């Protein structure tokens, strides 16, 4: 009986360690994805602002003619 308990304990500890490793990897992936999305969001905002500026400049040059 004791041997079975010790075997099961060893198995559970291995599963726990594996789960912790997987969780750490997922957390790292999540952080990397969050950073990537933040950069993309910033790029989108800049491009939208540049488009607005270009449209305003186009309108102003059309009005001047």
């Amino acid at each position: 009986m004791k041997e079975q308990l010790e075997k099961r304990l060893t198995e559970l500890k291995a599963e726990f360690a594996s789960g912790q490793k997987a969780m750490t990897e997922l957390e790292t992936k999540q952080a990397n994805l969050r950073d990537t999305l933040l950069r993309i969001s910033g790029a989108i905002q800049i491009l939208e602002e540049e488009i607005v500026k270009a449209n305003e400049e186009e309108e102003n040059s059309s009005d001047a003619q």
Side-chain angles (χ1 to χ4, degrees):
M1 178 73 169
K2 182 182 174 189
E3 289 177 15
Q4 288 176 332
L5 293 174
E6 288 176 348
K7 180 181 176 189
R8 184 63 180 143
L9 177 60
T10 302
E11 291 170 352
L12 288 173
K13 284 183 177 183
E15 285 182 39
F16 186 82
S18 176
Q20 282 185 314
K21 181 181 176 187
M23 185 179 293
T24 299
E25 291 171 357
L26 287 173
E27 288 170 346
T28 300
K29 286 181 182 181
Q30 182 182 25
N32 289 338
L33 181 57
R34 187 181 307 115
D35 291 344
T36 299
L37 290 174
L38 187 58
R39 283 193 300 274
I40 292 170
S41 174
I44 289 170
Q45 183 177 351
I46 289 170
L47 290 174
E48 288 175 339
E49 290 171 1
E50 290 300 316
I51 289 170
V52 168
K53 275 191 217 175
N55 287 340
E56 289 174 353
E57 289 174 4
E58 192 174 281
E59 288 175 12
N60 289 338
S61 66
S62 294
D63 291 343
Q65 292 178 359

